[in-house]
Amino acid sequence: DGGITQSPKYLFRKEGQNVTLSCEQNLNHDAMYWYRQDPGQGLRLIYYSQIVNDFQKGDIAEGYSVSREKKESFPLTVTSAQKNPTAFYLCASRTPAGSGEQFFGPGTRLTVL
Amino acid sequence: GENVEQHPSTLSVQEGDSAVIKCTYSDSASNYFPWYKQELGKRPQLIIDIRSNVGEKKDQRIAVTLNKTAKHFSLHITETQPEDSAVYFCAASKTGGYQKVTFGTGTKLQVIP
């Protein structure tokens, strides 16, 4: 373990509130990703970033926002526009293209009360 | 975009038997196919991967086969052990730059002692 961290581990939110999930990596990876995991649905891509100050929408970006001001950090904000935010959120970074392996953080479990 | 289908969704085997998980992909340009193992409450971790210029790859009790023509690839676990019990995800992507990685929906493997 180590190399890519997420905080907090558990997060509770009231309806109508925005929350920000933290993701930090010290692997010197350029690419970072956010996934949402729901039972029986695998890992669905929310946003990904290839370099600092650049990011692209994934398959389920609605209701989420990201920033990439530093290479090491890729925070995800879950906005009040996300209608069903309760899920397990995983951040990942990826080795250069020649290898391709993704390294995942330990995840944040978000529950909307 | 890429679509990855994974079967079965659940699989129970007796300890010592073999387990096979199958995936199909839709984008013929995909050339990198990793498999991840996720134990309960933990992060996914890469267990084996294969590139499109190779038909088979082995690592001890784990092997992956790839059929580019049919666009399917499979994970084979031999001599299963209780610690193999986990959720397994297949994925597909292109190499060359930091491409999206599309995951299957996962297979929950239970090894019965």
Side-chain angles (χ1 to χ4, degrees), chain B residues 40-64:
Chain B
L40 188 63
K42 296 189 176 181
R43 71 188 82 191
Q45 292 192 303
L46 181 75
I47 55 172
I48 196 167
D49 57 13
I50 192 168
R51 298 183 186 278
S52 58
N53 58 346
V54 176
E56 183 176 5
K57 184 176 179 181
K58 290 183 180 180
D59 183 3
Q60 300 183 343
R61 297 186 296 107
I62 294 173
V64 58

Side-chain angles (χ1 to χ4, degrees), chain A residues 5 13 15 17 30 39 44 46-47 49-50 52 55 59 68 70-71 74 83 90 92 98-99 101-102:
Chain A
T5 59
R13 189 195 93 175
E15 284 192 22
Q17 287 182 337
D30 287 313
R44 294 186 290 167
I46 305 172
Y47 269 96
S49 169
Q50 298 179 347
V52 174
F55 46 83
D59 301 316
R68 187 81 188 277
K70 299 186 300 181
K71 187 175 184 177
F74 190 40
K83 298 189 184 308
L90 285 161
S99 171
E101 177 180 358
Q102 285 185 307

Side-chain angles (χ1 to χ4, degrees), chain B residues 29-44:
Chain B
S30 290
N31 57 3
Y32 175 67
F33 307 94
W35 286 88
Y36 288 84
K37 175 183 180 182
Q38 186 179 28
E39 297 178 2
L40 188 63
K42 296 189 176 181
R43 71 188 82 191

Side-chain angles (χ1 to χ4, degrees), chain A residues 4-7 20-26 29-35 45-58 64-77 89-94 102:
Chain A
I4 181 165
T5 59
Q6 291 182 244
S7 62
T20 297
L21 283 58
S22 170
C23 178
E24 303 278 336
Q25 55 100 359
N26 62 3
H29 290 168
D30 287 313
M32 297 186 73
Y33 303 76
W34 273 106
Y35 293 93
L45 182 65
I46 305 172
Y47 269 96
Y48 67 111
S49 169
Q50 298 179 347
I51 55 173
V52 174
N53 293 323
D54 183 65
F55 46 83
Q56 289 81 40
K57 292 182 178 180
Y64 300 98
S65 66
V66 294
S67 63
R68 187 81 188 277
E69 298 178 359
K70 299 186 300 181
K71 187 175 184 177
E72 301 79 17
S73 179
F74 190 40
L76 172 74
T77 297
Y89 291 87
L90 285 161
C91 179
S93 66
R94 194 173 186 191
Q102 285 185 307

